[in-house]
Structures are given as structure tokens and as C-alpha cells.
Amino acid sequence: MSKRLVSRLLGMFQSRTQVGVDKAGNRYFTRVEEVDGAMKERRWVEFKGADQDSTTVPVEWICWLNGQRKKAPTPEELAELEARRERVRQNIEVLKNKEEEERKAGVRPVKKIGKSESPNLQSFVKQQFPGTLDQQKGPEEVPRPKDATDTEDSTTDNDRSSEPTGTGATFKPGTWQPPT
């Protein structure tokens, strides 16, 4: 074996630093090693026991392993987060029980999804574009020249409406202009 390989294998066991241990007993290590001429920190986990189940690694440690955290989570931080998770679990259980009691008692109203009527778009347009509905003529009120047909673009700048009209048979690409 080459000298470099032997020194690297020895370095793996000698220069590693244990950073922490999680609730499941998994141990977390770090080591600074040279990669392509640059010194980089390598982080890894050694699982407790023969079962190497990565789902047992807590989120805080996953973030540290992936380099999303600069510092490893402290035992105090882990205890605080575990207590918070337990409070959330208890609150969920309380809300589920309360909801079940209301459902049994018939107190909880049935939620209707959807709308019973369509929205009033005229009030929206009046609010967003004040004065436009009063000045606009409806599509049926737009005067047309006597010789106009459906295949011609017969509207002038003064007669344009911001509302779409027609069935699409008269569509000409690039002819529509927004109202000014």
C-alpha cells in the first residue's frame, strides 16, 4: 500500500473529533482534511448498533451534516426543541379531542366549500379602475359603420371597448390595442 493511503487511513481514526450524540445514540464526527489542495471539513455520523437507519437522524443534525448549520446543535438546544415538539403534539391531541366532542354534540357547523353566487365584477372594476364603467359603452352599444362586416376590423380608436367581443372568427394577431 502506498504511504499516502496508510496515512489517510490512520488520519481517519486519529484526527476525528466527536461533536455530539443524539437521543438515539448516534455519534457525530468532524475532521478537517485536504481535498484538491484546499482544507475542507468533513462531517459524518456513526449509527448506534448494526441498524444504520438514516431516518433516526434528527433534523438539526441533518442540517449540520449537510453544512446548512455552521455549529453542531447543543444538548440544550436539542432538549428545547424536543420539549417544543412535545407541546405541539399535546396541542394537536387537545384540538382533535375538542373537535370530536363538538362533532358529537352537533355544535360544530358544517363548512361549505365553494360560493353560492358568482362574484360581483362591476364593483371590483369600479374599485380598481374608478370612472371607467361610467364612460364605457357595452359591446352591443358600439356603433358600427354601415358597410362593416364581421371579417373586418371596423372599430376605430374612439369606438374601442376594453371588453372582449366576438366569437374569435374576427381575430387578427397584433390588431388589439389596450384602451388609453
Side-chain angles (χ1 to χ4, degrees):
M1 285 200 289
S2 71
K3 184 177 180 182
R4 184 175 177 193
L5 180 62
V6 171
S7 66
R8 189 167 182 180
L9 286 172
L10 288 175
M12 273 185 17
F13 297 107
Q14 293 174 349
S15 65
R16 70 182 189 175
T17 305
Q18 183 171 342
V19 178
V21 178
D22 67 12
K23 187 177 172 183
N26 301 327
R27 297 181 305 163
Y28 300 88
F29 296 93
T30 185
R31 175 180 68 238
V32 177
E33 59 184 31
E34 184 180 346
V35 177
D36 296 331
M39 299 302 284
K40 293 190 177 184
E41 182 181 38
R42 181 171 177 264
R43 300 172 177 182
W44 71 96
V45 60
E46 287 184 1
F47 295 98
K48 181 179 182 182
D51 185 27
Q52 296 189 357
D53 185 14
S54 61
T55 60
T56 62
V57 177
V59 174
E60 297 78 26
W61 283 108
I62 291 171
C63 291
W64 178 79
L65 287 167
N66 292 330
Q68 295 169 335
R69 293 179 62 129
K70 291 186 178 189
K71 294 183 179 180
T74 62
E76 295 82 22
E77 179 186 1
L78 292 172
E80 180 182 322
L81 289 169
E82 187 61 34
R84 182 172 185 263
R85 287 185 186 113
E86 186 58 35
R87 284 193 308 270
V88 169
R89 278 189 216 103
Q90 290 172 353
N91 288 340
I92 289 171
E93 190 62 34
V94 167
L95 289 173
K96 281 183 179 179
N97 291 338
K98 182 179 175 184
E99 188 177 276
E100 188 63 33
E101 289 174 10
E102 287 176 354
R103 192 175 298 124
K104 286 179 182 177
V107 177
R108 190 155 186 98
V110 177
K111 293 182 181 179
K112 292 182 180 179
I113 299 175
K115 297 182 179 179
S116 59
E117 60 184 53
S118 62
N120 183 356
L121 294 179
Q122 288 185 344
S123 65
F124 172 76
V125 171
K126 282 181 183 177
Q127 182 183 13
Q128 295 295 321
F129 310 102
T132 56
L133 275 182
D134 302 333
Q135 298 170 357
Q136 246 181 22
K137 295 180 181 178
E140 63 278 347
E141 298 174 14
V142 175
R144 299 183 65 141
K146 292 179 185 177
D147 61 338
T149 62
D150 286 340
T151 58
E152 297 178 11
D153 184 18
S154 60
T155 58
T156 61
D157 287 340
N158 296 334
D159 296 335
R160 284 202 181 137
S161 170
S162 64
E163 296 298 318
T165 58
T167 61
T170 60
F171 174 72
K172 293 180 183 176
T175 58
W176 183 84
Q177 294 291 322
T180 54

